[in-house]
Amino acid sequence: MQDAIVLGGGISGLTTGYLLQQKGLNFSVIEKNPFPGGPIQSVFKDGFLVEKGPNSLLVSDPWIESFISDLGIGNEIIDSNPAAVNRYVVRNSQPIPVPISPLQAITTRLFSLKAKFGFLGEPFRGRITELGEESESVADFVVRRMGSEFLDYAINPFVRGVYAGNPKQLILNHAFPLMRELEHEGGSLLRGAIKQKRRQKMRGTAYKNRSINFINGLDTLPKTISRKLGNRLWLSSEVVAINPVENGWQVTWKKEGENFEGFTRNLFVCLPSRSIKALNWASPISDWIAEAPDLPCPAVHSLALGYTRSDIAHPLNGFGVLVPSKEPHRILGALFNSELYPNRAPEDHCLLTVMLGGSQNPELREAPDEELLNIAKEDLASLLGASADPVFVNLTRWPYAIPQYTSAFGTWKKTIRSLEEDFPNLNFGGHAIDGIAMGASIMSGKALSERID
Ligand SMILES: Cc1cc2nc3c(=O)[nH]c(=O)nc-3n(C[C@H](O)[C@H](O)[C@H](O)COP(=O)(O)OP(=O)(O)OC[C@H]3O[C@@H](n4cnc5c(N)ncnc54)[C@H](O)[C@@H]3O)c2cc1C
């Protein structure tokens, strides 16, 4: 009987495992893929360093920094170029810088004069009744507080960039709980943000977020943890069944056609929702999980394109460009990788990552590679002045990319939390429950590891 078995060797499961190891506990981490880290995969090819999945880790909690240092890879961190504060959003087929100062907010061409006057009224708009909050969508919230132009040209492209999602389907309380907190705290987003900043300053907890990567790519993080875990990490091992036994759990997994069994006092489930639903759970857990709705998970295609630098007219002086759904373009956006981090492209070249698909473009789920490439080339020609074909192409398809925190998430989360209450040694974490970014999954792993001594 082990102290713990962790299901899933994505970043949440790996973090959990590493922290259990630090406590001297006896555990295993079981991962289906032959490599660790889920979508966190970096490849060097033809002089380009491509991120197939996530491109940056947003560090919003100082604990993540110390975690990375503990792992011995603090010296491999690279911060994004300071120019990355510039972000572009497309309006009338032109990439327009998102305002980052009060003066820019007044002069920007991203919003009409009428919309700008509308923003001034934000602090005076009322709060919704308690009853409506649970089901208020991101789109409804933003229109209520900031007006429809802010939805179309700020939040819609942002949500497409982060969730590859649709703000009309995402529920604010689940998808952006911080925005709700601000409204609660200050009665408005603006007053809430000011109050929160002041409080953090007084408590000395203010922290400046960092957007980071590593010299050799983001997968430095999962690869390092996996080396530390050694043979406690089972790769190419697919968990198929879970059965409660006296004082714990029996876990069955398949590796190279053979069945393995492990017994544990504590179970940590760090799997996507569809994998949780696909497991063979013993009754009555099976009934609960079967009844819970699965989370929608749209396909996203990550298309890394290398260009000769002089073939792109745009200065690429920023994080990237996002495309609102109102605009007549089909990409979700493009990241300026080689401007963000050094050594992502050979000299005199640049590397861009174009994202396609998402909830608002389901027709692209099965689109052939050539169609995806043509859409990207056409949009980059029009938006960034790409005057020649890319010299490097690397396409990664993510059929189930990012779970959408829609109304289904509310029911799903209730089921998961009820299971945890009824079975105190059954714990769930990762993006199926604790937030959709890498940083959230790392913090989720930390929280899971704190549930046992
Ligand atoms: C294209 C793309 C771009 C992204 N960009 C960013 C970004 O720039 N910044 C950011 O912060 N986040 C980004 N994300 C999100 C980020 O990658 C995830 O939030 C994070 O990696 C989730 O980690 P996790 O451990 O919670 O889940 P996962 O990484 O999904 O881990 C779950 C693991 O369980 C394994 N598994 C599944 N079923 C079984 C089974 N039956 N048995 C054993 N193992 C199983 C899977 O193989 C997987 O490794 C992006 C995601 C994608 C897809």
Side-chain angles (χ1 to χ4, degrees), residues 233-313:
L233 172 62
W234 286 67
L235 295 173
S236 306
S237 301
E238 182 174 6
V239 178
V240 287
I242 312 287
N243 281 295
V245 292
E246 206 183 338
N247 296 324
W249 302 92
Q250 176 194 31
V251 179
T252 310
W253 64 92
K254 275 194 158 73
K255 184 178 167 83
E256 289 151 11
E258 220 184 303
N259 271 359
F260 290 80
E261 274 173 5
F263 292 87
T264 177
R265 274 182 280 281
N266 298 283
L267 192 62
F268 293 98
V269 184
C270 297
L271 302 174
S273 60
R274 70 184 177 290
S275 302
I276 296 173
K277 284 181 78 74
L279 289 184
N280 193 356
W281 293 89
S283 175
I285 301 176
S286 54
D287 302 332
W288 291 45
I289 287 184
E291 271 171 34
D294 198 0
L295 305 181
C297 228
V300 171
H301 312 302
S302 171
L303 181 57
L305 298 176
Y307 282 89
T308 304
R309 182 64 189 88
S310 53
D311 288 339
I312 302 282

Side-chain angles (χ1 to χ4, degrees), residues 115-131:
K116 289 178 197 169
F117 275 114
F119 302 159
L120 294 176
E122 194 278 327
F124 310 104
R125 287 186 193 120
R127 274 181 48 191
I128 197 169
T129 61
E130 290 295 321
L131 196 66

Side-chain angles (χ1 to χ4, degrees), residues 8-13 30-33 37-40 52-58 237-239 270-272 275 279 300 302 355 398 401-402 430-431 436-439 441:
I11 196 62
S12 57
I30 319 288
E31 164 57 42
K32 181 174 75 170
N33 285 332
I40 310 169
K52 295 172 128 196
N55 282 269
S56 284
L57 164 60
L58 182 70
S237 301
E238 182 174 6
V239 178
C270 297
L271 302 174
S275 302
L279 289 184
V300 171
S302 171
M355 296 292 179
W398 297 104
I402 297 178
H431 65 163
I436 57 122
M438 257 181 92
S441 284

Side-chain angles (χ1 to χ4, degrees), residues 89-91 110-112 115-116 118-119 125 136-161 165-170 172 176 179 189 322-327 360:
V89 166
V90 173
R91 181 151 196 177
L110 192 55
F111 304 109
S112 69
K116 289 178 197 169
F119 302 159
R125 287 186 193 120
E136 191 178 29
S137 72
V138 173
D140 287 341
F141 174 85
V142 172
V143 170
R144 177 168 65 77
R145 296 228 61 92
M146 305 288 286
S148 58
E149 220 176 292
F150 196 75
L151 171 66
D152 293 341
Y153 286 97
I155 298 301
N156 174 289
F158 172 70
V159 165
R160 280 156 65 92
N166 183 344
K168 289 187 180 144
Q169 290 165 356
L170 298 181
L172 186 90
F176 298 107
M179 282 210 202
L189 292 177
L322 289 169
V323 182
S325 54
K326 282 220 149 175
E327 290 288 311
Q360 288 176 292

